Amino acid sequence: MTISLRSDISVSLDEVNLAGSDAKICKAARVSTLGSAAAGSGEARGLLNYLMKNRHGSPFEHGQMSFLVEAPIFVAREFMRHRAGWSYNETSGRYKELEPVFYVPKDSRPLVQEGKAGEYRFVAGTYEQYGITRWEHEQAYRTAWSAYQRMLKAGVAKEIARDVLPVGLFTSFYATCNPRSLMHFLSLRTKNTDATFPSFPQEEIEDVALAMEAAFASHFPLTWEVWDRNGRVAP
């Protein structure tokens, strides 16, 4: 039986569903005082900084970014905790036979947890710890996948057979958000020394968040700049 093991997590921006810009956010902010004349107004950086600094958040909802994420199920479940301003659609194990692709931590991933709740830090494991981690992951995956396949071949429905599969199985999902909801997500799922409120995300979801932040900075550069400058707090 063949299974695939991977340590990378894939994040891609769907250009077709990309909408909005720094300019659109400024127009949305100015319409309350300028009406239709807002479409021709300028001085974007100063206005965006004012909005961010003073927590005027609604103009930052005028935009859309849609990401296709390929990640283990445990990463997808952390996403589902973010609900305000987010929409999701995920591969369904009820209707599709799933693929035997499973997550294993990369060799550089810290393995040992130290500290107390809320202040954990993770340090590198020993050679033996890395070895047993990979071995145990692979053995558990092979056992689970064999059980899944046996049930399918016996005629058991996909929605029942999938019950034996672990959270290390890869899934694919679309995650769509506006800039405001993305900034909130990034404030919680990235670790940054300049952040007003420290966060301690799990490494795997931080990898996803950093890829999203790069896309955000590319397509909404002034909004990203003033968010970062103002302590990485969503307005």
Side-chain angles (χ1 to χ4, degrees):
M1 179 201 58
T2 301
I3 64 171
S4 296
L5 303 176
R6 57 182 287 193
S7 301
D8 64 300
I9 295 174
S10 172
V11 181
S12 57
L13 178 66
D14 186 345
E15 300 281 354
V16 174
N17 291 318
L18 177 64
S21 63
D22 293 323
K24 180 63 178 292
I25 293 169
C26 291
K27 291 175 185 178
R30 288 191 172 106
V31 75
S32 61
T33 56
L34 298 180
S36 60
S41 53
E43 301 177 357
R45 180 179 276 102
L47 176 57
L48 291 170
N49 189 65
Y50 173 83
L51 295 171
M52 194 73 67
K53 183 178 180 180
N54 291 280
R55 309 294 301 279
H56 296 304
S58 59
F60 295 101
E61 296 174 11
H62 291 272
Q64 178 175 289
M65 305 183 78
S66 187
F67 299 91
L68 176 61
V69 182
E70 296 178 10
I73 289 172
F74 69 83
V75 171
R77 294 302 160 263
E78 289 205 41
F79 259 93
M80 305 309 170
R81 299 180 67 183
H82 298 269
R83 298 179 294 278
W86 286 87
S87 298
Y88 302 102
N89 281 94
E90 184 181 1
T91 297
S92 175
R94 292 188 67 194
Y95 307 115
K96 177 184 182 298
E97 182 175 340
L98 300 171
E99 302 295 327
V101 182
F102 298 91
Y103 177 78
V104 290
K106 54 183 177 284
D107 291 342
S108 60
R109 202 256 196 250
L111 289 184
V112 180
Q113 178 179 304
E114 296 179 344
K116 58 184 180 180
E119 297 182 4
Y120 294 131
R121 70 186 189 99
F122 290 83
V123 298
T126 64
Y127 176 82
E128 290 76 16
Q129 285 172 324
Y130 280 104
I132 195 171
T133 296
R134 186 176 182 90
W135 192 88
E136 293 290 2
H137 273 71
E138 184 170 355
Q139 298 312 305
Y141 293 153
R142 289 186 182 280
T143 298
W145 188 254
S146 293
Y148 176 65
Q149 288 295 303
R150 285 195 299 270
M151 282 189 283
L152 292 180
K153 290 177 181 177
V156 176
K158 299 182 187 71
E159 65 182 48
I160 300 299
R162 66 175 175 170
D163 293 352
V164 300
L165 296 173
V167 295
L169 181 76
F170 266 75
T171 186
S172 299
F173 62 97
Y174 275 101
T176 300
C177 60
N178 61 56
R180 187 183 192 183
S181 56
L182 180 58
M183 286 185 281
H184 178 70
F185 172 84
L186 295 175
S187 71
L188 295 172
R189 300 301 183 177
T190 60
K191 186 175 183 179
N192 191 293
T193 56
D194 295 327
T196 299
F197 302 102
S199 185
F200 305 93
Q202 185 167 338
E203 180 171 313
E204 287 77 7
I205 199 167
E206 185 177 27
D207 289 344
V208 176
L210 290 173
M212 289 181 165
E213 183 173 345
F216 176 43
S218 175
H219 291 281
F220 294 84
L222 297 182
T223 300
W224 173 84
E225 177 188 316
V226 298
W227 170 73
D228 188 61
R229 185 195 308 158
N230 283 278
R232 300 171 70 86
V233 178

